[in-house]
């Protein structure tokens, strides 16, 4: 499709038959949910079925979003970074149950000798914050960050609780990868994941790609935002207070880099900070997740056992940083109230302010969404959620084609849907998985 749709929204790209609800939700994000510029892509069983973009390339500009526009996706990049130690484990180079100090001896300091590799990935290492925050220059130099987390005393006994390692995840995972492989995480992703799969994804943006990056920035959602029937949840008082209190673990975790870096600064984009500055297209996120759950043009990332590791619950319950109940597998957020994905078996990662990437093995779906307008919220952006609900609706409405893999999913989904009570407020025919 190409051209205007809805109230002057110029939507470009393609939509396979049956996935029109995703296009419609994408348009409504511009009309009712404050979208400025964005893209969404969906793969099903390794085949691209949605690839759309619209709006402006820069949140504060007028140049149209182009087919090759890329954006910083913040923490949505964590899901790509997490694939690296899992793939190293798959290749026999990393033992998930080995102490991190086995590969990184300096990390044993200050009571962290029993921190396991799986603890890093499941946000159980106990070092989400630093006693002294790093400057943006220190955060990006590749030395100060690993040195700081290695020397840091844990906030809790490692392995006994979990709390989102919002910024320190960059140096924990990045340094582990460097110690094991001799390569930075950005180089490893480029050579072992992005290049074989043909992904426009980087930790450390090459100078020759800098012209493609749009400017991101905060935007206020409409006062009467249309959230498509989803529940409107007011943050608990404890959550609000945690984000306001400069001494809280929440504020300290998100403020491990101080002052906050200018995310539109070319120097920041060129740094390798896998917790926060991955740069991607929506189709790159979707295609990468699609390759985690099945073959894409002959390439598959995760073996079945590795896929099981990625989405098996490692952490659940009260999150000491996010101050809500969260669920994590090894490096991935799992479906739940704090991070609603497509279905109970889905795994992925949102980016604070909007972006999202995830996969659902049972349906064969992988989705990527990127935006330049950053709204308040960490895990459940209303624009991303509208797209997820649209995918769910499309799966319910897809026809059953005898003999196809689609048939197997459609039949199972409809059987499950008919056997379960429909959540309040949901359309009768948009209930394939929840």
């Amino acid at each position: 499709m190409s051209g205007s749709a809805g109230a002057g929204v110029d939507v470009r790209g393609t939509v396979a038959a049956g996935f029109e609800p995703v296009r419609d939700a994408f348009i409504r994000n511009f009309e009712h949910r404050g979208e400025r510029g964005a893209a969404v892509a969906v793969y099903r069983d390794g085949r691209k079925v949605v690839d759309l973009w619209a709006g402006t390339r820069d949140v504060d500009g007028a140049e149209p979003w182009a087919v090759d526009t890329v954006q910083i996706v913040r923490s949505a990049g964590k899901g790509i970074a997490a694939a690296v130690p899992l793939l190293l484990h798959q290749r026999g180079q990393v033992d998930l149950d080995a102490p991190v100090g086995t590969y990184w001896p300096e990390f044993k300091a200050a009571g962290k000798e029993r921190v396991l590799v799986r603890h890093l990935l499941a946000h159980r290492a106990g070092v989400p914050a630093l006693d002294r925050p790093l400057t943006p220059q220190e955060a990006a130099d590749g030395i100060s960050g690993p040195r700081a987390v290695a020397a840091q005393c844990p906030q809790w006994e490692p392995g006994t609780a979990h709390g989102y390692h919002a910024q320190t995840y960059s140096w924990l995972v990045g340094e582990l990868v460097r110690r094991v492989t001799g390569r930075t995480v950005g180089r490893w992703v480029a050579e072992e994941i992005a290049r074989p799969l043909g992904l426009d994804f980087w930790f450390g943006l090459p100078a020759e790609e800098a012209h493609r990056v749009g400017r991101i920035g905060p935007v206020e959602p409409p006062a009467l935002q249309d959230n498509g029937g989803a529940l409107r949840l007011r943050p608990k008082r404890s959550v609000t207070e945690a984000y306001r209190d400069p001494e809280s673990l929440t504020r300290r975790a998100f403020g491990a880099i101080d002052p906050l870096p200018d995310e539109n600064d070319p120097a920041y984009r060129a740094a390798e900070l896998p917790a926060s500055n991955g740069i991607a297209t929506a189709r790159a996120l979707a295609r990468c997740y699609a390759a985690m759950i099945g073959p894409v043009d002959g390439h598959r990332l995760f073996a079945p056992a590795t896929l099981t590791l990625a989405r098996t619950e490692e952490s659940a319950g009260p999150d000491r940083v996010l101050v809500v109940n969260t669920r994590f597998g090894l490096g991935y957020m799992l479906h739940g109230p704090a991070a609603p994905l497509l279905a109970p078996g889905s795994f992925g990662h949102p980016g604070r302010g909007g972006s999202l990437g995830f996969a659902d093995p049972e349906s064969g779906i992988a989705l990527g969404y990127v935006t330049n307008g950053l709204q308040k919220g960490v895990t459940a952006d209303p624009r991303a959620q509208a797209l997820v609900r649209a995918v769910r609706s499309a799966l319910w409405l897809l026809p059953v084609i005898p003999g196809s893999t689609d048939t197997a999913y459609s039949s199972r989904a409809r059987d499950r849907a008919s056997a379960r009570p429909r959540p309040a407020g949901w359309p009768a025919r948009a209930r394939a998985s929840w």
Side-chain angles (χ1 to χ4, degrees):
M1 63 176 290
S2 177
S4 297
V9 182
D10 189 16
V11 178
R12 305 282 169 168
T14 59
V15 178
F19 284 87
E20 293 87 355
V22 182
R23 176 202 59 203
D24 297 341
F26 187 61
I27 292 169
R28 286 195 295 271
N29 281 350
F30 286 87
E31 295 175 338
H32 303 297
R33 302 186 183 101
E35 194 76 274
R36 301 286 182 83
V40 60
V42 179
Y43 274 70
R44 189 184 190 208
D45 295 331
R47 181 175 65 91
K48 186 169 61 179
V49 293
V50 176
D51 186 8
L52 300 173
W53 60 94
T56 60
R57 192 187 86 145
D58 301 321
V59 68
D60 52 1
E63 182 179 344
W65 190 295
V67 63
D68 64 345
T69 294
V70 294
Q71 298 285 2
I72 283 182
V73 297
R74 290 184 159 183
S75 288
K78 284 185 171 81
I80 311 304
V84 181
L86 287 179
L87 288 170
L88 293 175
H89 170 73
Q90 183 171 290
R91 298 177 184 186
Q93 295 177 261
V94 166
D95 181 353
L96 296 174
D97 291 309
V100 175
T102 303
Y103 309 102
W104 179 4
E106 297 90 331
F107 191 79
K108 297 177 183 178
K112 301 192 301 301
E113 62 277 358
R114 295 185 181 179
V115 177
L116 307 181
V117 172
R118 69 171 58 244
H119 293 157
L120 296 190
L121 294 173
H123 298 270
R124 303 181 71 83
V127 286
L130 300 175
D131 291 340
R132 183 187 74 81
L134 303 182
T135 67
Q137 294 74 27
E138 290 173 326
D141 67 18
I143 298 173
S144 301
R147 184 178 294 164
V149 292
Q152 180 66 42
C153 292
Q155 301 289 328
W156 61 81
E157 183 180 348
T160 63
H162 78 283
Y164 186 49
H165 289 51
Q167 297 283 14
T168 57
Y169 191 90
S170 282
W171 310 305
L172 294 170
V173 172
E175 187 65 9
L176 173 68
V177 171
R178 191 184 72 82
R179 294 295 179 114
V180 172
T181 70
R183 290 182 276 180
T184 67
V185 66
R187 181 182 167 192
W188 204 97
V189 167
E191 294 176 350
E192 304 287 346
I193 298 178
R195 186 178 300 164
L197 283 169
L199 306 182
D200 287 326
F201 185 97
W202 300 274
F203 293 125
L205 183 72
E208 61 270 21
E209 304 290 348
H211 66 285
R212 298 172 53 188
V213 187
R215 289 178 58 83
I216 62 174
V219 296
E220 288 295 326
L224 297 175
Q225 185 172 126
D226 170 18
N227 65 354
L231 294 176
R232 293 184 185 275
L233 299 178
R234 179 177 296 175
K236 292 182 180 179
R237 185 174 181 178
S238 58
V239 176
T240 302
E241 291 176 351
Y243 280 96
R244 288 177 177 171
D245 180 4
E247 300 302 317
S248 71
L249 187 58
T250 304
R251 280 284 295 275
R252 292 174 55 223
F254 282 99
I257 304 174
D258 188 36
L260 291 175
D262 177 359
E263 294 173 284
N264 294 312
D265 182 352
Y268 179 77
R269 294 169 175 171
E272 293 187 24
L273 294 168
S276 59
N277 83 337
I279 294 177
T281 60
R283 71 183 67 88
L285 285 178
R287 186 174 174 87
C288 190
Y289 273 100
M292 292 180 193
I293 63 174
V296 178
D297 294 334
H299 297 280
R300 178 167 183 165
L301 291 177
F302 288 170
T306 306
L307 176 58
T308 298
L309 288 171
R311 64 189 188 126
T312 297
E313 184 179 277
E314 290 279 330
S315 299
D319 188 303
R320 295 198 176 189
V321 171
L322 297 181
V323 201
V324 294
N325 289 339
T326 57
R327 300 178 65 229
F328 288 93
L330 288 178
Y332 298 93
M333 279 193 166
L334 306 181
H335 176 78
L341 300 174
L342 187 65
S346 303
F347 69 102
H349 217 290
R352 188 178 190 184
S355 297
L356 176 65
F358 75 86
D360 181 64
E362 281 68 38
S363 64
I365 289 289
L367 178 145
Y369 163 68
V370 303
T371 178
N372 59 25
L374 307 177
Q375 296 187 8
K376 292 180 181 179
V378 178
T379 62
D381 184 89
R383 298 160 297 175
Q385 286 303 301
L387 297 170
V388 173
R389 291 192 300 273
V391 171
R392 191 182 292 120
S393 175
L395 289 174
W396 175 252
L397 295 171
L398 282 172
V400 176
I401 304 172
S404 71
T405 56
D406 290 357
T407 304
Y409 174 70
S410 297
S411 299
R412 288 196 307 270
R414 295 183 188 190
D415 288 344
R416 289 198 305 268
S418 62
R420 295 184 180 184
R422 184 171 71 257
W426 280 37
R429 301 191 69 195
R431 56 183 184 177
S433 307
W434 50 81

